[in-house]
Amino acid sequence: MPDHALTPERIIAAAEETLRRFGPAKATVVDVARALGVSHAAVYRHFPSKTALREAVTSAWLSGVRQPLEEVRAGSGRPAAPLLREWLTVLAHQKRDRALRDPELFATYVALVGESSGAVEAHVSELVADLTGIIAAGVEQGVFRVADAGTAARALLNATSPFHNPAYAEAWSRPSFEQDLQDVLDLLLRGLS
Amino acid sequence: MPDHALTPERIIAAAEETLRRFGPAKATVVDVARALGVSHAAVYRHFPSKTALREAVTSAWLSGVRQPLEEVRAGSGRPAAPLLREWLTVLAHQKRDRALRDPELFATYVALVGESSGAVEAHVSELVADLTGIIAAGVEQGVFRVADAGTAARALLNATSPFHNPAYAEAWSRPSFEQDLQDVLDLLLRGLS
């Protein structure tokens, strides 16, 4: 590939592939450049350090997690209670599906995300903001009653984290996953109303 | 120590000390016997294998976790709602306090518990049974309304697990731990009533 055809998106895609192949401990910028057929200087023109490239990969992955949640919310004049249940269910399913489909790649991303606490905090803040919006809409619709929508949003995310926080990924293949999730959501939704 | 003075309790205490000193990968029955000043044959008379001894240590630790919960429930003609909040708070505090006080020993126990899935299942079943009893009492008192107390108990344990499941121990030193816990309990208790 000629250097001028190189875009950040292509570099990120190649970095993902390299991480998948070599694992997070070993993948280097030189490996990424080699996979793209460009010089490592060309990669450094877009990402000034290995750390910067890894953070871009992490952000891309976290955005990928959030995108289907955005789709759930899109065009939502929908009632808040089923919307909230769907949003939290999609969050859980997505994480579980990624973890079960390719456990090694999932572990790689979890390791990367762990390196960059800023990216995690930003991601969690976005999720809390999304949830706060859904809860506030429910309060307006008269279906939820909470003292503070932001506090309720953080509590919801904490209480459902066994179903979406990678620290729990080992337990996601259990047969009762879906029933356990819906039982927790039943209780939480009753708590909001 | 003469062999005849050897009790299971003394062996378990010495095994805990040995595990603390050498770590779970290295601690052997010979180390335990040496710490007690007895032959390893004497230890094997009480515990037929290293695995049996480790399981006894694990069970003793899990019983230790449950004991303060029993004290919370003891003499409980108390109203179910504050009792439930206290029970779940004590469960969380205990785990957090053990993890923060001696992180290495905590990690040792977590590793041991992970080896013996039967002990974990039995422990979780006991916790679910305790919670089911508290919820059923609340239904009788007219303060809780649930379709099935056992289902609600499992949901409560799942929803609070970020505060007591060791998979999350890394996050237990955060300053917002207590507020986060109480916010989740507020939501769950409202969900039960």
Side-chain angles (χ1 to χ4, degrees):
Chain A
M1 184 188 298
D3 282 10
H4 67 266
L6 203 58
T7 61
E9 291 71 29
R10 281 182 175 172
I11 297 174
I12 289 172
E16 287 177 338
E17 189 48 39
T18 306
L19 283 162
R20 178 200 285 272
R21 200 178 307 161
F22 298 106
K26 288 191 184 156
T28 67
V29 172
V30 172
D31 295 324
V32 175
R34 191 175 297 139
L36 287 161
V38 300
S39 67
H40 64 273
V43 173
Y44 280 122
R45 230 166 282 140
H46 292 274
F47 297 99
S49 66
K50 181 171 156 179
T51 303
L53 177 53
R54 283 178 171 234
E55 283 181 359
V57 171
T58 307
S59 293
W61 190 66
L62 292 173
S63 300
V65 168
R66 191 157 163 257
Q67 201 197 318
L69 299 173
E70 292 293 283
E71 285 161 21
V72 170
R73 281 185 76 204
S76 61
R78 288 171 60 197
L83 178 65
L84 185 61
R85 184 185 289 269
E86 188 185 343
W87 192 93
L88 287 166
T89 300
V90 168
L91 174 62
H93 283 186
Q94 263 212 86
K95 291 284 191 76
R96 182 202 55 187
D97 293 349
R98 282 163 189 248
L100 299 188
R101 201 185 310 131
D102 192 340
E104 265 184 47
L105 187 63
F106 187 76
T108 296
Y109 279 117
V110 170
L112 278 187
V113 167
E115 279 173 17
S116 125
S117 61
V120 181
E121 273 169 38
H123 176 65
V124 171
S125 293
E126 284 175 346
L127 295 181
V128 169
D130 292 348
L131 267 179
T132 303
I134 298 175
I135 295 168
V139 171
E140 256 178 54
Q141 291 165 16
V143 292
F144 294 153
R145 233 185 42 170
V146 296
D148 180 74
T151 301
R154 277 190 301 279
L156 278 180
L157 217 54
N158 273 324
T160 54
S161 67
F163 306 98
H164 56 70
N165 185 319
Y168 265 98
E170 269 189 33
W172 291 348
S173 57
R174 69 185 187 279
S176 64
F177 179 93
E178 191 61 32
Q179 191 59 56
D180 291 347
L181 170 62
Q182 296 306 326
D183 288 344
V184 166
L185 292 179
D186 286 346
L187 198 54
L188 293 171
L189 280 162
R190 280 182 58 185
L192 288 174
S193 47
Chain B
M1 183 188 299
D3 283 9
H4 66 265
L6 203 58
T7 61
E9 291 70 29
R10 282 182 173 169
I11 298 174
I12 289 172
E16 286 177 337
E17 188 48 40
T18 306
L19 283 162
R20 180 200 284 271
R21 200 177 307 160
F22 299 106
K26 287 190 185 156
T28 68
V29 172
V30 172
D31 294 325
V32 175
R34 191 175 297 139
L36 288 162
V38 300
S39 67
H40 63 274
V43 174
Y44 279 122
R45 229 166 282 139
H46 291 275
F47 297 99
S49 66
K50 181 170 157 179
T51 303
L53 177 53
R54 284 178 170 232
E55 283 182 357
V57 171
T58 306
S59 293
W61 190 66
L62 291 173
S63 300
V65 167
R66 190 157 163 257
Q67 200 197 318
L69 299 173
E70 292 292 283
E71 285 161 19
V72 170
R73 281 184 76 203
S76 59
R78 291 171 59 198
L83 178 64
L84 185 61
R85 184 185 290 269
E86 188 186 342
W87 192 93
L88 288 165
T89 300
V90 168
L91 175 62
H93 284 184
Q94 263 212 86
K95 291 284 190 75
R96 182 203 56 188
D97 292 349
R98 282 164 189 248
L100 298 188
R101 200 185 310 131
D102 192 340
E104 264 184 50
L105 187 63
F106 187 76
T108 296
Y109 278 118
V110 170
L112 278 188
V113 168
E115 281 174 15
S116 125
S117 62
V120 181
E121 273 168 38
H123 176 65
V124 171
S125 293
E126 284 176 347
L127 295 181
V128 169
D130 292 349
L131 268 179
T132 303
I134 298 175
I135 295 167
V139 171
E140 257 178 55
Q141 291 165 18
V143 292
F144 293 154
R145 232 185 41 169
V146 296
D148 180 74
T151 302
R154 278 191 301 279
L156 278 179
L157 217 54
N158 273 323
T160 54
S161 66
F163 305 98
H164 56 71
N165 184 319
Y168 266 97
E170 268 188 33
W172 292 348
S173 57
R174 69 185 187 278
S176 63
F177 179 93
E178 190 61 32
Q179 191 59 55
D180 290 347
L181 169 62
Q182 298 305 325
D183 288 344
V184 166
L185 292 179
D186 286 346
L187 198 55
L188 293 171
L189 281 163
R190 280 183 57 185
L192 287 174
S193 44

